[in-house]
Amino acid sequence: MTDETDMANPPRILVVDDETAIRRFLRTALGGGAFSLHEAETGHAALAAAAVARPDIILLDLGLPDMDGIEVIRLIREWSPVPIIVLSVRERETDKVAALDAGADDYLTKPFGIAELLARIRASLRRTLQEASEPVFRLEGLEVDLVHRKVSVDGRDVQLTPTEYELLRLLVTHAGKVLTHGRILKRIWGIGYLDQPHVLRVNISNLRRKIEADPSRPRYIRTEPGVGYRMMGE
Amino acid sequence: MTDETDMANPPRILVVDDETAIRRFLRTALGGGAFSLHEAETGHAALAAAAVARPDIILLDLGLPDMDGIEVIRLIREWSPVPIIVLSVRERETDKVAALDAGADDYLTKPFGIAELLARIRASLRRTLQEASEPVFRLEGLEVDLVHRKVSVDGRDVQLTPTEYELLRLLVTHAGKVLTHGRILKRIWGIGYLDQPHVLRVNISNLRRKIEADPSRPRYIRTEPGVGYRMMGE
DNA sequence: CACAATCTTGATGCATTCTTGACGCAATCC
DNA sequence: GGATTGCGTCAAGAATGCATCAAGATTGTG
């Protein structure tokens, strides 16, 4: 589907643990730009951070100084379905059952492997992200909703043909950058059309007629003479 | 084929394991009417059962006689998001990571406590059930009651065939979004019908005749030429 | 075993979309 | 300044996709 991995908006992770060593360990393990990290040392701080930072996932230790971790899960579950992965030294089955039934999504007993933790985080994110995130491109009056596959200009819905939409999608996902004729042709019409820029011009023209107010002086799709086209923005 | 999500009907669980002892153990542990159990001994049987029985959750052993469990996960994930919990003797971290990244939702190493397994099953079911948050879909005169499996237009009840209802349900649960032909075909007719969009068109046509006032100019099910169909709404 | 409902498949007419060619215009090169 | 090249627009035939009807196959049910 989409080929561009969006590094601009890394998933937010809230780490809740009172031990500094553990937090530092997780910070190095989860760092590196793949995630945006927030930390909390107490249950109350965790509740506040969950509300303010809106994490995409919570890593929760059960042994907190001010309140029991199970209680933290319950209180969060009263208003948020955010995935919660429990990290705890308690390995008794009753502890696991209590945490899971309180609303936790997963339970790892310390010590755990960092690779396994990362895999479980990916599994959780995969479940929520496949429904959630709404990548919508906006530029002045133009709005391209890549999830719902909807395009509108100044509020009015615009109906595009499959190739027109593919072309627009390609431009939008590379907004600001110049796409060469060759790159576009290869991508949409396949290799073999490299020497036929005409089909591309026709489609750009049709696309402009549908989304540009004045196709002869385009606001969105600018042509870069001798090179290719560029979607404005960024 | 029918997916009677009545509250009276217990969640369906598919157990995939070649060892008779394990299956018997799970049968007693999960029995008692709380769940409806299906079983498979091989990977191929598991794939067939997943398509036919439409389980709400799959318990999968990785050591199958005919194919690797990881491969089973991948093949199921090509067309179904059903929760998969891996039960395996392999306790190496790389095995866990491979299974989770292939699309598994959880991983338990044998031997495990039955209470923990039940808790993890409850956690998985809770997640999927909360996604079906809207029990009844309304749009202008159309009303689709997903709990009682009833459809009405302007107050008059409409009788749909099983496939028609499944199709409508799929569209309604993704209201606003475009569902591609391929996605619908895979989901309702199974993979293998990917290259037969005709059956889909016939059913869309029949469905429209039953719920649309003017099937030639549909209000609810809009066709996205070259792409798929979309239930209006949101 | 027979009946009814449903599903599948084929055929047909219609609408949309794609492709290709022709032509005007602007910028560039010599 | 004239020729060349690249770009944008228009239009028409070809190709594809869609909706609908109808008939045979399948399934379920009593």
Side-chain angles (χ1 to χ4, degrees), chain B residues 74-94:
Chain B
R74 275 207 197 86
L75 290 173
I76 290 179
R77 275 292 170 269
E78 284 186 3
W79 62 275
S80 171
V82 56
I84 299 176
I85 299 181
V86 170
L87 311 176
S88 173
V89 292
R90 307 181 194 169
E91 56 184 359
R92 290 201 328 237
E93 195 174 11
T94 52

Side-chain angles (χ1 to χ4, degrees), chain B residues 44-180:
Chain B
H44 290 101
L47 293 171
V52 174
R54 304 264 167 172
D56 298 300
I57 202 164
I58 296 179
L59 304 184
L60 176 69
D61 179 36
L62 289 186
L64 298 174
D66 58 339
M67 58 195 295
D68 191 73
I70 302 283
E71 191 58 23
V72 176
I73 297 175
R74 275 207 197 86
L75 290 173
I76 290 179
R77 275 292 170 269
E78 284 186 3
W79 62 275
S80 171
V82 56
I84 299 176
I85 299 181
V86 170
L87 311 176
S88 173
V89 292
R90 307 181 194 169
E91 56 184 359
R92 290 201 328 237
E93 195 174 11
T94 52
D95 290 320
K96 300 184 184 177
V97 172
L100 291 167
D101 280 342
D105 292 79
D106 206 340
Y107 193 112
L108 269 83
T109 38
K110 298 175 184 175
F112 48 81
I114 188 62
E116 179 179 355
L117 173 63
L118 284 169
R120 288 186 184 270
I121 288 176
R122 282 193 297 271
S124 276
L125 289 176
R126 183 177 54 219
R127 269 195 301 267
T128 54
L129 288 185
Q130 81 184 9
E131 282 178 11
S133 51
E134 202 73 25
V136 46
F137 173 87
R138 270 177 252 266
L139 177 59
E140 302 179 29
L142 179 64
E143 202 173 303
V144 183
D145 188 331
L146 296 172
V147 178
H148 300 94
R149 202 187 179 283
K150 272 189 174 176
V151 181
S152 63
V153 178
D154 297 328
R156 286 181 299 278
D157 275 17
V158 173
Q159 197 166 0
L160 301 181
T161 72
T163 24
E164 283 164 6
Y165 178 78
E166 280 303 303
L167 181 54
L168 181 61
R169 193 170 76 89
L170 188 60
L171 288 168
V172 157
T173 52
H174 295 82
K177 277 189 274 192
V178 175
L179 287 172
T180 65

Side-chain angles (χ1 to χ4, degrees), chain A residues 2-234:
Chain A
T2 51
D3 52 336
E4 318 298 326
T5 41
D6 190 7
M7 281 308 202
N9 234 13
R12 293 182 299 277
I13 298 187
L14 173 61
V15 175
V16 185
D17 201 312
D18 61 328
E19 293 178 56
T20 318
I22 302 272
R23 289 206 311 278
R24 186 170 336 124
F25 167 66
L26 288 174
R27 210 178 302 149
T28 56
L30 305 176
F35 302 106
S36 160
L37 276 188
H38 298 77
E39 300 182 0
E41 297 187 31
T42 67
H44 289 100
L47 293 170
V52 174
R54 298 264 167 176
D56 298 301
I57 202 165
I58 296 179
L59 304 183
L60 177 67
D61 180 37
L62 290 186
L64 298 175
D66 57 338
M67 58 194 295
D68 190 73
I70 302 285
E71 191 58 23
V72 175
I73 298 175
R74 274 207 197 84
L75 291 173
I76 290 178
R77 276 291 171 268
E78 285 184 0
W79 62 275
S80 170
V82 56
I84 299 176
I85 300 181
V86 170
L87 310 177
S88 172
V89 292
R90 307 181 194 168
E91 56 185 358
R92 289 201 329 237
E93 196 174 11
T94 51
D95 289 320
K96 300 184 184 178
V97 172
L100 291 168
D101 279 344
D105 293 80
D106 207 340
Y107 193 111
L108 269 83
T109 39
K110 298 177 184 175
F112 48 81
I114 189 62
E116 178 179 354
L117 173 63
L118 284 170
R120 289 187 182 269
I121 287 176
R122 281 193 296 272
S124 276
L125 288 177
R126 185 176 54 223
R127 273 193 299 265
T128 54
L129 287 186
Q130 75 185 6
E131 294 273 332
S133 69
E134 302 266 331
V136 177
F137 174 86
R138 273 177 248 266
L139 177 59
E140 303 179 28
L142 179 64
E143 203 173 301
V144 182
D145 186 330
L146 296 173
V147 174
H148 295 83
R149 201 186 180 283
K150 269 187 175 173
V151 180
S152 63
V153 178
D154 297 329
R156 285 180 299 278
D157 275 18
V158 173
Q159 198 165 0
L160 301 180
T161 72
T163 28
E164 283 163 5
Y165 179 79
E166 279 304 302
L167 181 54
L168 180 61
R169 192 171 77 88
L170 188 60
L171 289 167
V172 156
T173 53
H174 296 81
K177 282 184 274 189
V178 176
L179 286 171
T180 64
H181 298 137
R183 185 112 181 263
I184 301 176
L185 286 166
K186 258 193 302 184
R187 190 56 172 274
I188 295 188
W189 283 271
I191 211 158
Y193 277 74
L194 270 178
D195 52 347
Q196 300 183 25
H198 184 51
V199 61
L200 172 56
R201 292 203 198 96
V202 173
N203 275 274
I204 287 283
S205 174
N206 293 335
L207 189 50
R208 275 180 178 152
R209 188 183 323 131
K210 290 186 180 178
I211 68 172
E212 298 275 6
D214 179 8
S216 65
R217 207 127 24 92
R219 281 191 302 173
Y220 307 128
I221 304 176
R222 181 151 305 183
T223 160
E224 302 283 336
V227 186
Y229 297 93
R230 178 215 316 253
M231 167 62 66
M232 304 300 287
E234 299 216 359

Side-chain angles (χ1 to χ4, degrees), chain B residues 161-163 189 196 198-199 202:
Chain B
T161 72
T163 24
W189 283 272
Q196 300 184 26
H198 186 52
V199 61
V202 173

